[in-house]
Amino acid sequence: MKRFLIIGHKALTTGSFSLNDMPGSAGRMDVLCRCVNSCFFLSHDLRRDVECFLVLLGEPDAPKTVKFSGEKVRYLNPDERSAGSLLQKALALPCTETFRESTRGVYVRRGGLKELLEEFRDEEGNPIFAILDENGSDIREIPPETTPTAFILSDHMNFTQEEEEMIKDLKRISAGPKVMHADHTITVILNELDRKNL
Ligand SMILES: C[S@@+](CC[C@H](N)C(=O)[O-])C[C@H]1O[C@@H](n2cnc3c(N)ncnc32)[C@H](O)[C@@H]1O
């Protein structure tokens, strides 16, 4: 399974946003919708072995996490409004600390980065996630056996001080020398994993 965790620092935590104004009044929800699409869409196919976690930190009820499962997801089409509409439905549900399905393959719960870091650990008890960072180790230089398959990205903003503290011991992986949009970075990373047969 490949996993991408994207932090939406201003993304609203209510479903009552307009699909016509996701970049503005929804706190750059458009960035997160594009990340969802990059996680899953191939030409005429869907990546079933990917999970995408959106950590939403905007008003009025942060933090919330929405999970998209490539294996289970339905009703997702390759445009921003489609992902936005599934997010609206997820965020309209009352939520607890346990994931609750809103539409097929889309789940919502209360909590954010801290909970995901605690939950996804390897046999030695370390978080499985690596940070995507243009200054990290070049993914092309890492052998397939030790290449991470779970990654954390920020949206259009920098990681906060508090987030940096939580992720300071994680590996940092670069997809290339230029700073790219988060969704483009996901596409590049998935392509690198494809090339490594992971
Ligand atoms: C648009 S960038 C963030 C921009 C940055 N915080 C700023 O305002 O200068 C979104 C995310 O994509 C990832 N990213 C962008 N370029 C990358 C690269 N070349 N290698 C690895 N990750 C990259 C990082 O995780 C980053 O947080």
Side-chain angles (χ1 to χ4, degrees):
M1 187 61 72
K2 295 153 198 166
R3 295 186 172 91
F4 291 89
L5 186 172
I6 305 101
I7 301 181
H9 289 95
K10 303 278 182 206
L12 291 195
T13 42
T14 166
S16 58
F17 59 85
S18 165
L19 292 179
N20 294 328
D21 188 24
M22 290 200 283
S25 53
R28 295 310 311 264
M29 198 70 84
D30 61 314
V31 173
L32 301 183
C33 292
R34 286 195 290 276
C35 286
V36 169
N37 290 355
S38 291
C39 280
F40 299 114
F41 283 106
L42 292 164
S43 180
H44 304 295
D45 203 1
L46 210 61
R47 291 183 182 274
R48 297 285 176 194
D49 62 343
V50 176
E51 286 179 345
C52 174
F53 297 89
L54 304 179
V55 170
L56 312 178
L57 298 179
E59 295 292 329
D61 201 14
K64 282 186 184 177
T65 299
V66 178
K67 173 172 103 167
F68 286 75
S69 156
E71 195 190 342
K72 303 266 171 57
V73 74
R74 297 284 180 277
Y75 321 119
L76 178 65
N77 294 308
D79 61 273
E80 277 168 45
R81 293 173 68 91
S82 168
S85 154
L86 295 182
L87 277 167
Q88 278 183 328
K89 292 189 174 83
L91 294 170
L93 283 187
C95 65
T96 65
E97 282 73 25
T98 308
F99 275 119
R100 175 176 178 194
E101 192 170 45
S102 48
T103 50
R104 288 283 299 280
V106 184
Y107 312 81
V108 62
R109 78 173 180 195
R110 192 164 299 291
L113 177 62
K114 182 167 155 283
E115 288 76 9
L116 290 164
L117 289 175
E118 275 163 15
E119 196 170 320
F120 288 98
R121 291 184 175 260
D122 62 19
E123 282 122 37
E124 277 102 54
N126 300 310
I128 62 168
F129 287 100
I131 304 303
L132 286 173
D133 175 345
E134 64 280 5
N135 297 312
S137 313
D138 185 343
I139 190 159
R140 295 197 170 180
E141 307 290 322
I142 305 175
E145 316 81 75
T146 52
T147 301
T149 55
F151 305 93
I152 298 176
L153 304 90
S154 183
D155 52 2
H156 60 296
M157 299 173 71
N158 288 329
F159 291 113
T160 64
Q161 204 67 23
E162 194 189 343
E163 288 158 0
E164 288 288 2
E165 185 58 31
M166 283 192 260
I167 62 180
K168 65 178 188 315
D169 296 327
L170 302 184
K171 274 189 203 158
R172 300 215 167 220
I173 307 286
S174 168
K178 305 258 188 201
V179 181
M180 295 179 278
H181 289 168
D183 58 319
H184 297 165
T185 306
I186 292 170
T187 303
V188 171
I189 289 288
L190 283 168
N191 183 55
E192 294 296 333
L193 299 183
D194 290 343
R195 286 168 169 273
K196 290 175 195 271
N197 256 329
L198 289 170

